[in-house]
Amino acid sequence: MCGIVGFYGPDDVVHDIVFGLTALQHRGQDAAGIATFNGNFHLHKGNGLVNDVFKPKHVKKLKGNIGIGHVRYTTQGSNDADLAQPFTTSYPFGLAMVHNGNVINFRDAAKRLHEKYHVLPKTSNDLELIMYTFASELRIKDLDHLSVVDIFDAVETTQELVKGAYATITMIAGHGLLAFNDPNGIRPLVLGRRDTPDGPIYAFASESTCFDYLGFEFIKNVGPGQAVFIDKNFQVHYKNPYNLPKAFCVFEHIYFAREDSTIHGRLVARERVRLGKMLGRKVLEAGLEPDMVIDVPSSGYFAASGLAEAIGVPYRRAMVKNNHMGRSFIVSSQAGREDIVKKKLNPIRAFVEGKKIAVVDDSIVRGTTSRRIVRILREAGAKEVYFISSAPPIVSPCIYGIDMAMSTDLIAANHTDEEICQFIGADRVIYQTLEDLQELFSEERGHGGSCFACFSGKYPTGDVSRYLRHIQEERESHRSKKDREEAKTSVSAKAPAATEH
């Protein structure tokens, strides 16, 4: 999961890009990058947060009235700065692209690129595969007379060849700004506009919260399989979406998106309150009588408030978050996740001590973070701790861009509720039901279709067993390599120092 933006207007757009990426910082903290164009591409990217990567000297050089940006959250591969986005290619015309998502037929698509178009991707980054597939399809058109139809034809072929979840934004040098989604619309992408005395500025972004900060008017969601192209005369062209069921990632509403974002017409904060209210019935059915409801900051707040309202128990913010620490879920290592939880959350002992606490979190993935939260509440004197999950049990890997791509990583895939409760040290564990979640985000309630694959094992892109085997092989290979390196380091450290003769 990453955050992407793209801007096109009459004047330099770099400041809008920087502020837009800052508003999306919650979507990725590993790396950031910006590309602009004013006759030549100007590119700067690196590891770290937006404010760390872009200093005034970098911003000054990013000239151009068209540009794209990206914040990266690593789900696969390394954190090498070379893998930071955007990526560029010089032919045809010059393209620069960013994306959010995950390609699931990488090997087959890369093989086709090499055999048919003699293109060899330099990295394992999915973006390079999407970009070169699109570029290869574009270059067979009449480039002297390139039309919008030609661009959309290249998009459609790319969507047919590249499987998975992706939202993309592309600069086509000298022609305009293009955005398109995968045929199921799994990842979010929105279009906005801000009028200026010199003309309109158009923007694409992963979330609408960008537009709130920058004063843009929301125009529309980029739909499943849809493409939107803004030409050099600032005319907006649309490619009709695919006639496939929409399968928007429901985990965006549960955890990933910011609470002040509106996704497909539904405010994220309001949906999280509804999730909490639905949990109220399960808490009462379990016979639990907490003295108070608290949240795990900050994604659990609105669900906790909804639960407290539903069961008539006071809500308290009884854990204080250090806002200078990152989001533990999107840290790439388990040790790193636990370290962040330890350092970023501090319970208020006066509220917790001697009380029966219902603590609400967005989900339980691996269980180790939940265990740490229960432990710090116990250490603060909580009498009983009931751990409440806004999400149902996560029993299947996400293959569309969230870092839970192996079943062995998922505690609910391998253990009962009672075993999970014992592992995390809680007095009771309560999950949202899949049925209630599906009802809340059903087509009948105006949502238009969601992806529940991590809760149900039913993937909108069809049979993914082959891809899951590839992920398993890659991760086991990575772990084996890491183990060998650690063993080698350990042996070197224990070896006796050489003796001079």
Side-chain angles (χ1 to χ4, degrees), residues 256 269 425:
F256 229 93

Side-chain angles (χ1 to χ4, degrees), residues 107 127 187 266 303 314 321 363 369 410 464 475 497:
R107 294 183 182 183
L127 173 62
R187 291 284 156 243
R266 300 174 74 159
K321 177 184 177 181
S363 59
T369 298
L410 308 175
V464 298
R475 293 210 171 186

Side-chain angles (χ1 to χ4, degrees), residues 53-335:
V53 174
F54 298 103
K55 302 301 182 184
K57 64 180 181 180
H58 304 126
V59 173
K60 186 177 180 180
K61 295 178 180 179
L62 292 168
K63 300 292 186 181
N65 69 326
I66 184 170
I68 56 178
H70 184 271
V71 287
R72 186 179 189 225
Y73 148 50
T74 306
T75 56
Q76 294 181 46
S78 68
N79 289 335
D80 291 346
D82 289 344
L83 297 179
Q85 301 181 29
F87 280 9
T88 63
T89 184
S90 59
Y91 182 77
F93 304 112
L95 304 175
M97 183 180 284
V98 291
H99 98 302
N100 167 34
N102 194 52
V103 173
I104 64 171
N105 68 331
F106 187 95
R107 294 183 182 183
D108 291 341
K111 181 180 178 182
R112 181 185 182 277
L113 263 181
H114 190 239
E115 292 180 348
K116 183 173 181 180
Y117 291 114
H118 313 294
V119 174
L120 180 65
K122 294 184 293 184
T123 74
S124 60
N125 193 304
D126 292 344
L127 173 62
E128 196 177 22
L129 183 74
I130 300 170
M131 182 181 70
Y132 281 130
T133 299
F134 174 71
S136 297
E137 295 302 323
L138 195 62
R139 72 181 187 182
I140 63 176
K141 307 298 182 183
D142 181 357
L143 298 182
D144 289 331
H145 305 91
L146 187 72
S147 68
V148 175
V149 172
D150 292 332
I151 293 171
F152 286 163
D153 281 347
V155 168
E156 188 163 349
T157 304
T158 301
Q159 291 168 323
E160 292 171 356
L161 296 173
V162 180
K163 308 298 183 183
Y166 48 87
T168 73
I169 308 172
T170 306
M171 286 192 291
I172 305 177
H175 288 79
L177 189 64
L178 169 71
F180 63 89
N181 270 347
D182 68 82
N184 294 106
I186 297 172
R187 291 284 156 243
L189 193 61
V190 292
L191 170 65
R193 170 177 168 149
R194 185 178 70 206
D195 290 319
T196 76
D198 297 320
I201 304 174
Y202 286 97
F204 295 102
S206 293
E207 294 185 34
S208 65
T209 186
C210 281
F211 299 161
D212 297 335
Y213 277 99
L214 296 170
F216 277 71
E217 175 191 2
F218 172 85
I219 295 178
K220 72 183 304 294
N221 294 283
V222 180
Q226 190 171 44
V228 182
F229 179 66
I230 304 166
D231 66 25
K232 58 186 178 182
N233 297 313
F234 296 99
Q235 297 298 307
V236 183
H237 308 268
Y238 297 96
K239 166 188 169 294
N240 290 330
Y242 268 67
N243 188 26
L244 291 176
K246 183 171 74 175
F248 183 76
C249 174
V250 75
F251 216 69
E252 290 277 354
H253 283 285
I254 294 170
Y255 171 78
F256 229 93
R258 266 181 48 156
E259 299 93 331
D260 51 347
S261 286
T262 298
I263 298 177
H264 296 294
R266 300 174 74 159
L267 179 65
V268 172
R270 185 176 292 118
E271 300 312 312
R272 291 179 183 171
V273 171
R274 289 172 174 163
L275 288 169
K277 288 183 177 181
M278 291 192 304
L279 283 164
R281 185 180 71 253
K282 295 212 67 179
V283 170
L284 294 175
E285 288 174 352
L288 303 182
E289 297 180 351
D291 296 313
M292 70 174 66
V293 177
I294 71 172
D295 65 288
V296 177
S298 58
S299 55
Y301 166 72
F302 286 98
S305 66
L307 173 60
E309 182 180 342
I311 65 176
V313 169
Y315 163 81
R316 293 288 184 271
R317 174 148 282 187
M319 283 195 288
V320 178
K321 177 184 177 181
N322 179 347
N323 289 317
H324 298 286
M325 299 298 294
R327 300 183 88 180
S328 61
F329 182 85
I330 63 174
V331 173
S332 57
S333 71
Q334 183 56 44

